[in-house]
């Protein structure tokens, strides 16, 4: 970070010039250098320079927090959002956790977007919270959301209310995505909340569509942008207590097995990863979800579920679950 | 004129003593990981390297718990500073490992343990550098702090590489400075550092010691600091019948993780250990000790 006058009291043009002459241009240079030595070189008082160093440090460092305080804060602000589908909830250990990034990965047609629509509708209607939906593939239509809402309730007022809680952004490149995320992080979230219900979920469908084209080749820009997107998503999740759901494509590894895309550097970004696949036999709406990364459950648990779950009216859902569950869906 | 906090302990003399007083040696923090008596001594750095899903974070939580638990529960009662560059610290998981480590005692013990932990979050390598300078004062005012955990040291690799443009020296500059500063903190305060490192390309499935991809991609200054290296990998999930737990009769797929430890100081040696992750944390699987290396004695 470059030193500039006015950054802190006592840092005026004259001092800046003498510092530059001593080859000190950035805040890091100043903080790392020997103050006594520097004070002599620039003929300023040791006290003044030390005070400036202290202020700059205080302004720019991350402040340490006690583990106990952090734990208290998290206890009170973390929530678990049900996805609306009991099979998925079982895989996710009750649902999407706020403060974390969950990834849905799968090939084309595996139902990632459908699951995202269903989750958005469930959170907006049943849980009555706001959802931010960032669509980078152009697959989101208000009609589809309305269709899903119409199976939940016939009351058009309620439908409209729920639709209003889903805020959509349509972007197609990584620059726009970063701008959008930074904008939301810098106060945009409050503006987006209308009619009560804070933003509890952020869905990005899909994150690989904007990043994958930048990767590969000799340029480092792509990797750096991917890490920036990851950092922006994590900051949103942690600082605003939001559950982040992203979708990713799949690739084949050298041994032929299916693995999530975006490579090794993205793989530790999501806390939980679910792989969606089509089920060979059975009705067209059936998919299988496998838990491939989780910090809470043993991996590789598989659940079959029905993609049409969110589009079925309540009465029809009862018997449609996979064999493992016997409970009907209960409203949250 | 000195920088200090308004606590009863802070006065010039205690600052001086805080530097001189010996901090707890962590050689015995986890003897099952390191070769015979080869645990990290004061002033040493352990790098925990491995791709995603190989149990590095669980290992870190295991070490953390061992450090902050009270002596009655088998801990070392030292303060730990956790530098989180990845925004990936999972307090709930940590709390559940602590709970099972302290045999489910009350809330007060949990809070006491957590208060020995100090968490700092950094979002860029510049901020990391400035924060490490700031941490110097924290270390002076906390004579019990013996462990610095960094998760992870490679978080800013790509951003630094992109900012540095074409010059490798510029790309590595920030991490080099951080490493030099860490070196100074190690010498002056005699703490121990454990840092995780994520690889940048997929390794082969061969044994860790022979894999090219496991070589560190970080700058020389950091590599020079590292005295022990734990390379983590994951083995294929084993189908084991439930060993008498819960009696559910369900087949549990236990994921076994292996750690290959190489040390470059004191007793130069290596050790391979395996563990699995249960609800209560890391559980080591007993492996026969390698026979002593006689050629080292002769």
């Amino acid at each position: 970070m470059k030193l500039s006058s006015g950054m802190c009291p006592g840092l005026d043009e004259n001092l800046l010039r003498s510092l530059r002459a001593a080859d000190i241009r950035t805040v890091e240079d100043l903080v790392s250098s020997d103050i006594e030595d520097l004070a002599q070189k620039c003929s300023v008082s040791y006290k003044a320079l030390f005070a400036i160093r202290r202020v700059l440090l205080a302004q720019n460092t991350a402040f340490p927090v006690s583990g106990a305080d952090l734990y208290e804060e998290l206890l009170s602000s973390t929530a678990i959002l049900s996805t609306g589908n009991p099979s998925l909830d079982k895989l996710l250990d009750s649902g999407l956790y706020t403060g974390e990034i969950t990834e849905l990965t799968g090939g084309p047609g595996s139902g990632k977007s459908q699951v995202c629509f269903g989750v958005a509708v469930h959170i907006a209607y049943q849980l009555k919270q706001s959802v931010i939906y960032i669509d980078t593939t152009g697959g989101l239509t208000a009609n589809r959301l309305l269709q899903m809402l119409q199976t939940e309730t016939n009351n058009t007022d309620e439908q409209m209310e729920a639709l209003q809680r889903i805020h959509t952004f349509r972007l197609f490149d990584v620059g726009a995505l970063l701008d959008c995320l930074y904008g939301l992080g810098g106060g945009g979230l409050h503006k987006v909340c209308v009619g009560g219900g804070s933003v509890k979920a952020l869905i990005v469908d899909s994150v690989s569509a904007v990043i994958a084209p930048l990767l590969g080749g000799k340029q480092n820009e792509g990797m750096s942008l991917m890490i920036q997107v990851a950092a922006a998503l994590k900051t949103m999740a942690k600082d605003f207590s939001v559950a982040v759901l992203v979708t990713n494509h799949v690739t084949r590894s050298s041994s032929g097995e299916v693995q999530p895309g975006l490579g090794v550097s993205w793989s530790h970004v999501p806390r939980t990863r679910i792989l969606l696949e089509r089920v060979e036999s059975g009705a067209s709406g059936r998919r299988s979800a496998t838990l491939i990364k989780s910090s809470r459950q043993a991996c590789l648990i598989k659940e079959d579920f029905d993609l049409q779950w969110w589009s079925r009216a309540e009465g029809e859902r009862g018997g449609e679950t996979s064999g493992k569950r016997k409970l009907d869906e209960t409203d949250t | 004129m000195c920088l200090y906090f308004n606590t009863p302990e802070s006065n010039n003399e205690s600052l001086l003593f805080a530097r001189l007083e010996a901090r707890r040696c962590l050689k015995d923090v986890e003897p099952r990981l390191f070769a015979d008596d080869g645990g990290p001594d004061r002033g040493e750095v352990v790098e925990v390297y491995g791709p995603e899903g190989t149990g590095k974070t669980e290992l870190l939580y295991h070490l953390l718990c061992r450090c902050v638990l009270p002596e009655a529960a088998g801990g070392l009662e030292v303060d730990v500073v956790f530098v989180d560059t990845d925004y990936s610290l999972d307090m709930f998981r940590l709390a559940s490992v602590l709970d099972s480590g302290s045999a489910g005692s009350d809330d007060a013990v949990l809070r006491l343990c957590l208060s020995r932990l100090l968490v700092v979050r950094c979002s860029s390598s510049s901020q990391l550098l400035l924060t490490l300078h700031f941490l110097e004062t924290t270390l002076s005012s906390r004579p019990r702090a013996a462990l610095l955990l960094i998760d992870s040291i490679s978080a800013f690799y790509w951003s630094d590489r992109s900012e540095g443009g074409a010059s490798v020296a510029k790309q590595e500059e920030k991490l080099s400075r951080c490493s030099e500063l860490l070196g100074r903190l190690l010498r002056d305060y005699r703490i121990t550092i454990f840092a995780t490192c994520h690889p940048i390309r997929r390794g082969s499935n061969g044994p860790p010691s022979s894999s090219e991809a496991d070589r560190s991609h970080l700058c020389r200054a950091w590599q020079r600091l590292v005295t022990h290296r734990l390379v983590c990998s994951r083995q294929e999930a084993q189908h084991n019948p439930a060993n008498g737990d819960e009696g559910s009769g369900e087949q549990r797929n236990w994921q076994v993780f292996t750690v290959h430890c190489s040390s470059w100081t004191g007793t130069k040696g290596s050790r391979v250990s395996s563990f699995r992750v249960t609800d209560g944390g890391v559980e080591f699987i007993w492996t026969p000790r390698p026979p002593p290396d006689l050629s080292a004695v002769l």
Side-chain angles (χ1 to χ4, degrees), chain A residues 29 54 62 65 67 72 234, chain B residues 3 86 111 117 119 121 177:
Chain A
D29 290 334
R54 179 167 47 167
V65 178
E72 290 288 349
K234 282 193 178 171
Chain B
L3 193 65
D86 260 349
R111 300 245 185 276
L117 171 66
V119 180
R121 282 197 186 131
R177 277 181 148 178

Side-chain angles (χ1 to χ4, degrees), chain A residues 14-226:
Chain A
N14 289 329
L15 183 54
L16 265 183
R17 235 172 292 144
S18 10
L19 285 175
R20 247 176 257 145
D23 214 16
I24 305 282
R25 286 191 181 78
T26 60
V27 176
E28 295 91 42
D29 290 334
L30 178 58
V31 167
S32 319
S33 47
D34 184 5
I35 298 292
E36 263 186 58
D37 214 34
L38 200 53
Q40 275 182 352
K41 260 195 239 174
C42 306
S43 46
V44 272
S45 81
Y46 175 85
K47 256 192 182 179
L49 208 52
F50 197 93
I52 291 176
R53 179 185 191 270
R54 179 167 47 167
V55 172
L56 283 177
L57 257 187
Q59 280 176 354
N60 294 300
T61 51
F63 203 71
V65 178
S66 147
D69 294 338
L70 194 55
Y71 183 60
E72 290 288 349
E73 199 194 302
L74 281 179
L75 269 184
S76 58
S77 63
T78 307
I80 308 179
L81 302 168
S82 159
T83 58
N85 183 318
S87 315
L88 267 186
D89 280 349
K90 188 171 175 199
L91 275 189
L92 291 170
D93 196 19
S94 334
L96 298 171
Y97 280 60
T98 56
E100 291 184 8
I101 301 183
T102 309
E103 181 184 271
L104 278 179
T105 174
S110 54
K112 311 184 289 290
S113 299
Q114 294 299 316
V115 172
C116 290
F117 297 159
V119 170
V121 160
H122 180 83
I123 296 178
Y125 178 70
Q126 295 283 1
L127 305 181
K128 304 212 179 339
Q129 304 291 335
S130 292
V131 180
I132 297 188
Y133 197 111
I134 300 182
D135 179 24
T136 64
T137 57
L140 176 68
T141 55
N143 275 335
R144 182 73 184 108
L145 293 178
L146 188 58
Q147 222 176 27
M148 286 175 143
L149 274 170
Q150 277 163 348
T151 61
E152 301 266 358
T153 172
N154 285 323
N155 183 333
T156 41
D157 282 336
E158 281 181 13
Q159 288 167 6
M160 282 306 123
E161 220 186 282
L163 269 185
Q164 277 178 339
R165 289 196 200 104
I166 305 178
H167 306 271
T168 58
F169 294 85
R170 198 167 268 137
L171 347 132
F172 299 105
D173 69 85
V174 75
L177 177 61
L178 281 172
D179 280 340
C180 177
L181 290 174
Y182 291 147
L184 286 171
L189 265 187
H190 297 292
K191 292 194 201 122
V192 141
C193 297
V194 116
S198 47
V199 175
K200 277 281 162 240
L202 169 66
I203 303 179
V204 183
D205 177 24
S206 79
V207 78
S208 54
V210 287
I211 296 180
L214 305 169
L215 300 177
K218 289 273 178 191
Q219 314 96 309
N220 299 320
E221 271 296 304
M223 298 297 290
S224 164
L225 286 167
M226 179 170 83

Side-chain angles (χ1 to χ4, degrees), chain B residues 130-161:
Chain B
L130 296 175
T131 309
L132 288 175
H133 277 288
F134 186 82
L135 277 181
E136 191 170 351
T137 26
T138 315
L139 284 176
S140 343
S141 62
R142 278 182 171 230
R144 301 193 62 106
L147 178 62
L148 176 62
L149 281 175
I150 306 181
D151 183 21
S152 65
I153 193 83
S154 58
F156 308 124
Y157 175 76
W158 289 111
S159 338
D160 285 348
R161 215 170 128 168

Side-chain angles (χ1 to χ4, degrees), chain B residues 91-111:
Chain B
M91 289 302 292
F92 295 123
R93 178 67 188 147
L94 184 58
S96 69
V97 179
L98 271 174
D99 257 338
S100 65
S102 62
S105 39
D106 55 34
D107 240 14
V109 177
L110 179 64
R111 300 245 185 276

